[in-house]
């Protein structure tokens, strides 16, 4: 969802976008269904929650109850075209010097595959300040099932891998 802010002292109102967009492309066989994609701020900066708007500048400042991720999901699966699925996620415009990480869940061969361990740190061509209204493409990622997932977590500082078995440790 695009968040826009408006202000004006007369009947004229100026709308300003308050969000930037990250385009995530996941390459995977068309026989799989991509159920969800989550985009995480690598350093834990909130991407969702309660924000205080500055209507004049068209900016959002984090207020409280935030999460460091945004996601898109579909029980039917995100549509694949030409062997890849795309999602565009809106986040508050601003600086993200540590970049982003993604996690995806796909269904293939009748089982769910947690792709969270396939974390990719991302900064778009060394862009750390994302401008409102612009789309920044993330480098396409390919997930291949190797049959292993950790007992939990996605491998970020805020949600580290959960090691509960000897297989996790190995």
């Amino acid at each position: 969802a695009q968040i826009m802010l408006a202000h004006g002292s007369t009947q004229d109102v100026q709308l300003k976008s308050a969000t930037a967009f990250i385009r995530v492309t996941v390459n995977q066989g068309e026989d799989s269904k991509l159920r969800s994609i989550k985009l995480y701020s690598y350093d834990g900066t909130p991407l969702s929650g309660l924000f205080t708007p500055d209507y004049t500048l068209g900016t959002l400042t984090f207020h409280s109850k935030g999460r460091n991720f945004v996601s898109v999901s579909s029980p039917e699966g995100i549509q694949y075209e030409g062997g890849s699925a795309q999602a565009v996620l809106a986040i508050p415009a601003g600086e993200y010097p540590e970049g982003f990480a993604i996690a995806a869940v796909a269904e293939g061969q009748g089982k769910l595959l947690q792709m969270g361990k396939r974390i990719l740190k991302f900064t778009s061509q060394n862009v750390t300040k994302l401008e409102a209204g612009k789309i920044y493409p993330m480098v396409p990622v390919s997930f291949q099932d190797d049959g292993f997932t950790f007992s939990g977590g996605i491998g970020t500082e805020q949600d580290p891998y959960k090691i509960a078995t000897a297989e996790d440790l190995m």
Side-chain angles (χ1 to χ4, degrees), residues 50-87:
L50 299 177
F51 291 83
T52 302
D54 181 321
Y55 294 100
T56 304
L57 296 175
T59 60
L60 300 171
T61 303
F62 175 67
H63 180 64
S64 66
K65 298 184 181 183
R67 294 186 175 171
N68 72 321
F69 68 88
V70 292
S71 65
V72 62
S73 62
S74 170
E76 293 82 31
I78 298 169
Q79 184 67 40
Y80 278 97
E81 292 183 21
S84 66
Q86 288 191 2

Side-chain angles (χ1 to χ4, degrees), residues 26 38 46 69 84 142 150:
V26 177
K38 282 188 180 181
F69 68 88
S84 66
S142 297
F150 285 94

Side-chain angles (χ1 to χ4, degrees), residues 16-157:
K16 289 186 179 180
S17 176
T19 54
F21 302 93
I22 302 287
R23 182 187 305 122
V24 178
T25 301
V26 177
N27 298 321
Q28 190 167 328
E30 292 188 31
D31 59 335
S32 298
K33 286 185 181 177
L34 190 62
R35 297 288 185 171
S36 69
I37 297 173
K38 282 188 180 181
L39 177 75
Y40 292 84
S41 62
Y42 209 77
D43 63 1
T45 301
L47 299 179
S48 63
L50 299 177
F51 291 83
T52 302
D54 181 321
Y55 294 100
T56 304
L57 296 175
T59 60
L60 300 171
T61 303
F62 175 67
H63 180 64
S64 66
K65 298 184 181 183
R67 294 186 175 171
N68 72 321
F69 68 88
V70 292
S71 65
V72 62
S73 62
S74 170
E76 293 82 31
I78 298 169
Q79 184 67 40
Y80 278 97
E81 292 183 21
S84 66
Q86 288 191 2
V88 177
L89 299 136
I91 62 171
E95 294 192 42
Y96 298 93
E98 295 298 314
F100 302 93
I102 65 163
V105 175
E107 180 183 340
Q109 313 293 321
K111 63 179 180 173
L112 287 177
L113 309 172
Q114 244 333 42
M115 301 299 186
K117 68 178 182 156
R118 309 257 198 264
I119 296 301
L120 183 67
K121 187 173 177 182
F122 159 73
T123 52
S124 178
Q125 301 163 343
N126 297 319
V127 173
T128 59
K129 184 173 182 176
L130 304 182
E131 294 180 38
K134 291 191 176 181
I135 298 174
Y136 295 86
M138 186 172 190
V139 175
V141 293
S142 297
F143 291 119
Q144 295 185 1
D145 178 28
D146 60 8
F148 176 78
T149 60
F150 285 94
S151 294
I154 63 156
T156 65
E157 188 174 324

